[in-house]
Amino acid sequence: MTVKGHIIFTIASSVLIQHFIFSNIMYHDDWWRIIPVSIVTCLLPDIDNPQSILGRKIKILSYLINKIFGHRGFTHSLLSVLVFSFIIFSINLKLNCVFDVKLGLIIGYCSHIVADILTPSGVPLLWPYKKKFKLPLITKKFLKEDIFCYLYLIFSLYLLYPICNNIIMKFFY
């Protein structure tokens, strides 16, 4: 998946996760903090590819991770999500919106992995077990990446419509 695809997919995923999972414990305006933070980490799993945007910025680390685990290895697994989540939640920040920030970081990382599952290459979710999990909805023949990601974004925003409508009504009336 391309950088643009991952970013669009992450934005849509952030909106849906905040709305359907965390809407009871968070205010609806919190997703304005979650989205930018999730974008920051949506490319992090590709640190294992020295040709990726992040890999080109941190060449030595990217090269080492690639040599040890390969591309779409450990960094695209549930184990990496657990390690990343543990690191994120063990960092003690003194911010008012620390939960939003940590949640956004994890959403960005996880959305990357889910997006890669939707490609024909798949990901080794149960790494070090090598089997790749895939649900190839995004292919060059069936559904192109850009079209899929934009449809997903439109769908996620459409599901927000009642909330947006309520906010607009409260603002104007």
Side-chain angles (χ1 to χ4, degrees):
M1 186 170 264
T2 64
V3 170
K4 181 172 84 170
H6 277 299
I7 291 172
I8 295 168
F9 192 88
T10 296
I11 292 169
S13 297
S14 298
V15 169
L16 289 175
I17 289 169
Q18 195 284 326
H19 176 65
F20 286 106
I21 298 174
F22 293 102
S23 62
N24 293 335
I25 61 173
M26 298 172 73
Y27 297 108
H28 291 291
D29 63 341
D30 290 343
W31 59 282
W32 290 110
R33 286 190 294 267
I34 291 172
I35 290 173
V37 173
S38 66
I39 291 171
V40 168
T41 55
C42 76
L43 301 177
L44 187 56
D46 278 342
I47 188 70
D48 62 4
N49 180 359
Q51 300 305 312
S52 68
I53 288 179
L54 196 54
R56 289 190 305 247
K57 301 284 184 208
I58 312 171
K59 290 180 183 184
I60 295 171
L61 180 62
S62 179
Y63 179 78
L64 287 173
I65 293 171
N66 183 273
K67 285 299 172 195
I68 295 168
F69 303 112
H71 179 53
R72 286 197 182 180
F74 167 74
T75 62
H76 287 72
S77 69
L78 290 176
L79 182 58
S80 71
V81 171
L82 291 173
V83 169
F84 183 69
S85 298
F86 177 78
I87 291 168
I88 294 301
F89 279 101
S90 65
I91 296 171
N92 192 9
L93 298 173
K94 304 292 186 213
L95 297 171
N96 290 339
C97 55
V98 72
F99 181 75
D100 303 354
V101 170
K102 290 179 178 184
L103 180 63
L105 293 171
I106 293 168
I107 289 171
Y109 195 94
C110 290
S111 73
H112 180 105
I113 295 170
V114 171
D116 282 350
I117 287 172
L118 299 176
T119 66
S121 299
V123 298
L125 273 182
L126 301 177
W127 184 92
Y129 180 58
K130 302 268 188 223
K131 181 183 181 335
K132 299 228 176 173
F133 291 80
K134 53 189 163 186
L135 180 64
L137 295 177
I138 303 172
T139 62
K140 291 183 180 0
K141 294 178 183 175
F142 177 66
L143 190 58
K144 293 186 183 210
E145 177 184 321
D146 286 353
I147 294 169
F148 178 86
C149 290
Y150 284 122
L151 287 174
Y152 181 47
L153 180 61
I154 291 167
F155 176 73
S156 68
L157 294 174
Y158 173 76
L159 292 178
L160 278 182
Y161 175 73
I163 293 171
C164 295
N165 193 22
N166 289 339
I167 292 170
I168 291 168
M169 293 302 217
K170 287 178 184 178
F171 182 75
F172 286 109
Y173 297 105

Tab-separated table of all heavy atoms in Angstrom, residues 36-67:
chain	number	residue	atom	x	y	z
A	36	PRO	N	-4.481	13.446	13.888
A	36	PRO	CA	-3.088	13.819	13.564
A	36	PRO	C	-2.052	12.896	14.202
A	36	PRO	O	-1.038	12.576	13.578
A	36	PRO	CB	-2.947	15.240	14.115
A	36	PRO	CG	-4.315	15.725	14.356
A	36	PRO	CD	-5.199	14.542	14.525
A	37	VAL	N	-2.320	12.461	15.425
A	37	VAL	CA	-1.372	11.564	16.099
A	37	VAL	C	-1.325	10.209	15.408
A	37	VAL	O	-0.259	9.620	15.249
A	37	VAL	CB	-1.739	11.428	17.599
A	37	VAL	CG1	-0.882	10.385	18.277
A	37	VAL	CG2	-1.592	12.768	18.296
A	38	SER	N	-2.479	9.708	14.964
A	38	SER	CA	-2.489	8.406	14.281
A	38	SER	C	-1.750	8.484	12.945
A	38	SER	O	-1.116	7.517	12.535
A	38	SER	CB	-3.913	7.897	14.091
A	38	SER	OG	-4.645	8.714	13.221
A	39	ILE	N	-1.814	9.625	12.296
A	39	ILE	CA	-1.087	9.801	11.036
A	39	ILE	C	0.426	9.694	11.275
A	39	ILE	O	1.161	9.158	10.450
A	39	ILE	CB	-1.462	11.129	10.354
A	39	ILE	CG1	-2.907	11.059	9.851
A	39	ILE	CG2	-0.517	11.459	9.216
A	39	ILE	CD1	-3.459	12.384	9.362
A	40	VAL	N	0.876	10.163	12.440
A	40	VAL	CA	2.303	10.125	12.762
A	40	VAL	C	2.828	8.688	12.770
A	40	VAL	O	3.933	8.424	12.297
A	40	VAL	CB	2.560	10.798	14.139
A	40	VAL	CG1	3.961	10.529	14.646
A	40	VAL	CG2	2.294	12.292	14.048
A	41	THR	N	2.037	7.739	13.285
A	41	THR	CA	2.533	6.364	13.401
A	41	THR	C	2.003	5.417	12.327
A	41	THR	O	2.360	4.241	12.341
A	41	THR	CB	2.188	5.766	14.780
A	41	THR	OG1	0.788	5.874	14.987
A	41	THR	CG2	2.957	6.450	15.878
A	42	CYS	N	1.205	5.911	11.403
A	42	CYS	CA	0.635	4.993	10.413
A	42	CYS	C	1.682	4.434	9.449
A	42	CYS	O	1.435	3.433	8.794
A	42	CYS	CB	-0.516	5.641	9.648
A	42	CYS	SG	-0.047	6.817	8.386
A	43	LEU	N	2.836	5.026	9.385
A	43	LEU	CA	3.895	4.520	8.511
A	43	LEU	C	4.996	3.790	9.274
A	43	LEU	O	5.937	3.272	8.677
A	43	LEU	CB	4.491	5.672	7.693
A	43	LEU	CG	3.503	6.430	6.812
A	43	LEU	CD1	4.191	7.581	6.100
A	43	LEU	CD2	2.834	5.509	5.814
A	44	LEU	N	4.873	3.745	10.598
A	44	LEU	CA	5.915	3.141	11.437
A	44	LEU	C	6.199	1.667	11.142
A	44	LEU	O	7.366	1.266	11.138
A	44	LEU	CB	5.569	3.342	12.917
A	44	LEU	CG	6.623	2.911	13.916
A	44	LEU	CD1	7.958	3.600	13.650
A	44	LEU	CD2	6.149	3.195	15.332
A	45	PRO	N	5.204	0.821	10.871
A	45	PRO	CA	5.543	-0.578	10.590
A	45	PRO	C	6.469	-0.758	9.383
A	45	PRO	O	7.187	-1.756	9.302
A	45	PRO	CB	4.176	-1.236	10.328
A	45	PRO	CG	3.232	-0.422	11.142
A	45	PRO	CD	3.746	0.990	11.009
A	46	ASP	N	6.497	0.205	8.483
A	46	ASP	CA	7.379	0.092	7.319
A	46	ASP	C	8.812	0.529	7.614
A	46	ASP	O	9.617	0.669	6.695
A	46	ASP	CB	6.812	0.887	6.136
A	46	ASP	CG	5.753	0.107	5.383
A	46	ASP	OD1	5.686	-1.131	5.546
A	46	ASP	OD2	4.980	0.724	4.640
A	47	ILE	N	9.158	0.688	8.887
A	47	ILE	CA	10.542	0.954	9.259
A	47	ILE	C	11.424	-0.226	8.835
A	47	ILE	O	12.623	-0.090	8.680
A	47	ILE	CB	10.681	1.217	10.782
A	47	ILE	CG1	12.086	1.689	11.166
A	47	ILE	CG2	10.328	-0.005	11.589
A	47	ILE	CD1	12.440	3.055	10.699
A	48	ASP	N	10.790	-1.373	8.576
A	48	ASP	CA	11.537	-2.559	8.152
A	48	ASP	C	11.896	-2.540	6.663
A	48	ASP	O	12.493	-3.464	6.161
A	48	ASP	CB	10.770	-3.840	8.494
A	48	ASP	CG	9.433	-3.950	7.782
A	48	ASP	OD1	9.107	-3.077	6.951
A	48	ASP	OD2	8.701	-4.911	8.061
A	49	ASN	N	11.530	-1.479	5.976
A	49	ASN	CA	11.854	-1.336	4.554
A	49	ASN	C	12.750	-0.112	4.370
A	49	ASN	O	12.288	1.020	4.494
A	49	ASN	CB	10.566	-1.187	3.737
A	49	ASN	CG	10.832	-1.045	2.260
A	49	ASN	OD1	11.974	-1.038	1.807
A	49	ASN	ND2	9.762	-0.923	1.496
A	50	PRO	N	14.033	-0.309	4.072
A	50	PRO	CA	14.947	0.832	3.906
A	50	PRO	C	14.540	1.798	2.792
A	50	PRO	O	14.995	2.932	2.763
A	50	PRO	CB	16.293	0.167	3.581
A	50	PRO	CG	16.184	-1.209	4.130
A	50	PRO	CD	14.736	-1.587	3.981
A	51	GLN	N	13.650	1.373	1.891
A	51	GLN	CA	13.199	2.250	0.808
A	51	GLN	C	11.950	3.052	1.185
A	51	GLN	O	11.505	3.901	0.414
A	51	GLN	CB	12.922	1.431	-0.457
A	51	GLN	CG	14.136	0.682	-0.971
A	51	GLN	CD	15.317	1.602	-1.212
A	51	GLN	OE1	15.187	2.646	-1.823
A	51	GLN	NE2	16.482	1.211	-0.713
A	52	SER	N	11.368	2.790	2.353
A	52	SER	CA	10.178	3.522	2.791
A	52	SER	C	10.569	4.940	3.215
A	52	SER	O	11.755	5.234	3.400
A	52	SER	CB	9.502	2.792	3.958
A	52	SER	OG	10.315	2.851	5.118
A	53	ILE	N	9.583	5.788	3.387
A	53	ILE	CA	9.842	7.168	3.821
A	53	ILE	C	10.592	7.173	5.146
A	53	ILE	O	11.614	7.834	5.297
A	53	ILE	CB	8.534	7.973	3.928
A	53	ILE	CG1	8.000	8.283	2.543
A	53	ILE	CG2	8.730	9.250	4.718
A	53	ILE	CD1	6.706	9.045	2.522
A	54	LEU	N	10.090	6.422	6.108
A	54	LEU	CA	10.734	6.362	7.416
A	54	LEU	C	12.088	5.654	7.327
A	54	LEU	O	13.043	6.056	7.978
A	54	LEU	CB	9.810	5.643	8.401
A	54	LEU	CG	10.104	5.790	9.873
A	54	LEU	CD1	10.191	7.248	10.278
A	54	LEU	CD2	9.055	5.085	10.683
A	55	GLY	N	12.162	4.620	6.515
A	55	GLY	CA	13.418	3.896	6.329
A	55	GLY	C	14.519	4.764	5.760
A	55	GLY	O	15.689	4.611	6.109
A	56	ARG	N	14.153	5.683	4.877
A	56	ARG	CA	15.153	6.602	4.307
A	56	ARG	C	15.596	7.648	5.319
A	56	ARG	O	16.711	8.162	5.228
A	56	ARG	CB	14.594	7.271	3.057
A	56	ARG	CG	14.468	6.315	1.890
A	56	ARG	CD	14.150	7.033	0.602
A	56	ARG	NE	12.956	7.853	0.704
A	56	ARG	CZ	11.821	7.636	0.069
A	56	ARG	NH1	11.710	6.594	-0.730
A	56	ARG	NH2	10.797	8.431	0.219
A	57	LYS	N	14.757	7.968	6.293
A	57	LYS	CA	15.104	8.958	7.321
A	57	LYS	C	15.988	8.347	8.402
A	57	LYS	O	16.840	9.015	8.956
A	57	LYS	CB	13.838	9.529	7.978
A	57	LYS	CG	12.894	10.204	7.032
A	57	LYS	CD	13.395	11.551	6.627
A	57	LYS	CE	12.347	12.227	5.753
A	57	LYS	NZ	12.901	13.153	4.830
A	58	ILE	N	15.741	7.084	8.747
A	58	ILE	CA	16.494	6.389	9.798
A	58	ILE	C	17.137	5.164	9.157
A	58	ILE	O	16.771	4.025	9.443
A	58	ILE	CB	15.567	5.987	10.963
A	58	ILE	CG1	14.684	7.148	11.388
A	58	ILE	CG2	16.384	5.507	12.151
A	58	ILE	CD1	13.597	6.766	12.373
A	59	LYS	N	18.086	5.385	8.289
A	59	LYS	CA	18.656	4.332	7.449
A	59	LYS	C	19.262	3.182	8.234
A	59	LYS	O	19.010	2.019	7.923
A	59	LYS	CB	19.706	4.924	6.511
A	59	LYS	CG	19.124	5.795	5.443
A	59	LYS	CD	20.189	6.358	4.539
A	59	LYS	CE	19.519	7.283	3.540
A	59	LYS	NZ	20.414	7.810	2.560
A	60	ILE	N	20.061	3.485	9.239
A	60	ILE	CA	20.762	2.420	9.972
A	60	ILE	C	19.768	1.518	10.698
A	60	ILE	O	19.849	0.293	10.593
A	60	ILE	CB	21.781	3.023	10.972
A	60	ILE	CG1	22.875	3.757	10.192
A	60	ILE	CG2	22.362	1.957	11.874
A	60	ILE	CD1	23.813	4.571	11.045
A	61	LEU	N	18.822	2.111	11.412
A	61	LEU	CA	17.818	1.323	12.130
A	61	LEU	C	16.977	0.508	11.159
A	61	LEU	O	16.731	-0.678	11.381
A	61	LEU	CB	16.927	2.239	12.977
A	61	LEU	CG	15.837	1.546	13.776
A	61	LEU	CD1	16.440	0.578	14.779
A	61	LEU	CD2	14.964	2.576	14.463
A	62	SER	N	16.579	1.119	10.073
A	62	SER	CA	15.768	0.435	9.074
A	62	SER	C	16.535	-0.739	8.469
A	62	SER	O	15.981	-1.829	8.301
A	62	SER	CB	15.349	1.408	7.976
A	62	SER	OG	14.594	0.753	7.004
A	63	TYR	N	17.772	-0.524	8.158
A	63	TYR	CA	18.608	-1.580	7.586
A	63	TYR	C	18.738	-2.751	8.559
A	63	TYR	O	18.606	-3.911	8.162
A	63	TYR	CB	19.988	-1.017	7.221
A	63	TYR	CG	20.924	-2.039	6.651
A	63	TYR	CD1	20.809	-2.454	5.321
A	63	TYR	CD2	21.911	-2.619	7.434
A	63	TYR	CE1	21.658	-3.408	4.794
A	63	TYR	CE2	22.766	-3.575	6.927
A	63	TYR	CZ	22.634	-3.966	5.600
A	63	TYR	OH	23.484	-4.923	5.092
A	64	LEU	N	18.983	-2.445	9.837
A	64	LEU	CA	19.132	-3.502	10.838
A	64	LEU	C	17.836	-4.305	11.011
A	64	LEU	O	17.864	-5.539	11.049
A	64	LEU	CB	19.552	-2.907	12.185
A	64	LEU	CG	20.990	-2.413	12.274
A	64	LEU	CD1	21.224	-1.690	13.589
A	64	LEU	CD2	21.948	-3.579	12.117
A	65	ILE	N	16.719	-3.603	11.107
A	65	ILE	CA	15.431	-4.290	11.260
A	65	ILE	C	15.145	-5.154	10.039
A	65	ILE	O	14.679	-6.286	10.160
A	65	ILE	CB	14.293	-3.275	11.519
A	65	ILE	CG1	14.483	-2.622	12.885
A	65	ILE	CG2	12.932	-3.935	11.429
A	65	ILE	CD1	13.550	-1.469	13.155
A	66	ASN	N	15.453	-4.628	8.861
A	66	ASN	CA	15.226	-5.393	7.630
A	66	ASN	C	16.093	-6.647	7.592
A	66	ASN	O	15.636	-7.713	7.183
A	66	ASN	CB	15.487	-4.507	6.413
A	66	ASN	CG	15.199	-5.225	5.122
A	66	ASN	OD1	16.058	-5.908	4.575
A	66	ASN	ND2	13.978	-5.082	4.641
A	67	LYS	N	17.347	-6.528	8.004
A	67	LYS	CA	18.249	-7.684	7.977
A	67	LYS	C	17.839	-8.744	9.002
A	67	LYS	O	17.956	-9.939	8.741
A	67	LYS	CB	19.707	-7.256	8.235
A	67	LYS	CG	20.337	-6.572	7.055
A	67	LYS	CD	20.372	-7.512	5.873
A	67	LYS	CE	20.815	-6.810	4.631
A	67	LYS	NZ	20.552	-7.540	3.410
